[in-house]
Amino acid sequence: MLILITYDVNTETSAGRARLRRVAKQCVNYGTRVQNSVFECILDNAQFVKLKAILKDIIDENVDSLRFYDLGNKYKTKVEHIGISRGIKAEEPLIF
Amino acid sequence: MLILITYDVNTETSAGRARLRRVAKQCVNYGTRVQNSVFECILDNAQFVKLKAILKDIIDENVDSLRFYDLGNKYKTKVEHIGISRGIKAEEPLIF
């Protein structure tokens, strides 16, 4: 299934940027970074449970927000895009 | 249906921040700003077409990225959250 993961973190701090890099690194194991802090991951249920636990350990739950959206298996017609495609690599330094 | 809208924009520029404010203002007419640049909107098909056209006019397609995800009508079990809930109001000045 396609799980969309959105991560809201203050990237004005180096700690925030580091957390975003760590989250990105985990997410791109299973999919694509479609925006700076939005990831589309193809996961089965076991992988989803595991990834959630890993990400929960990375983020600071007192200041960060992490959301998961289950788009199911028939997701190709459910996604639309306008504008540029960033194609950000997980290891790239953050520009903003 | 629930349409998730994610907007990737460089908020280091005042023009970028202004575009985000304008996008937010449109999106919160139909729903909630759940993260700094993530919006959950309840829309019918006609509203969805209209909102897409409005947002397309606001963003800079050469530098911004806008994505739409259709979560259908039975979306309540498809969304999970970890961490803080920001509850950002559309008119608030951007913190980051």
Side-chain angles (χ1 to χ4, degrees), chain A residues 1-87:
Chain A
M1 60 201 176
L2 177 68
I3 302 290
L4 183 77
I5 300 172
T6 66
Y7 181 38
D8 201 19
V9 56
N10 184 346
T11 53
E12 285 191 348
T13 68
S14 59
R17 288 193 294 274
R19 290 199 299 280
L20 177 54
R21 276 197 299 275
R22 292 179 66 201
V23 164
K25 199 166 183 176
Q26 293 299 326
C27 290
V28 297
N29 285 334
Y30 300 100
T32 308
R33 187 176 195 169
V34 290
Q35 291 182 345
N36 193 42
S37 56
V38 177
F39 307 90
E40 291 178 3
C41 298
I42 305 293
L43 302 165
D44 61 28
N45 278 323
Q47 288 169 323
F48 185 28
V49 170
K50 189 178 157 192
L51 183 59
K52 266 191 292 189
I54 291 169
L55 298 183
K56 198 177 172 187
D57 277 349
I58 293 172
I59 73 162
D60 181 340
E61 290 183 55
N62 296 313
V63 291
D64 299 346
S65 160
L66 193 60
R67 292 178 77 83
F68 303 89
Y69 298 89
D70 180 358
L71 284 141
N73 289 314
K74 293 177 182 169
Y75 51 81
K76 289 192 178 164
T77 59
K78 297 177 184 171
V79 186
E80 288 183 56
H81 180 89
I82 298 173
I84 61 156
S85 296
R86 293 202 179 272

Side-chain angles (χ1 to χ4, degrees), chain B residues 41-55:
Chain B
C41 298
I42 306 293
L43 302 164
D44 61 30
N45 279 324
Q47 290 169 322
F48 186 28
V49 170
K50 189 180 158 193
L51 183 59
K52 265 191 292 190
I54 291 169
L55 298 183

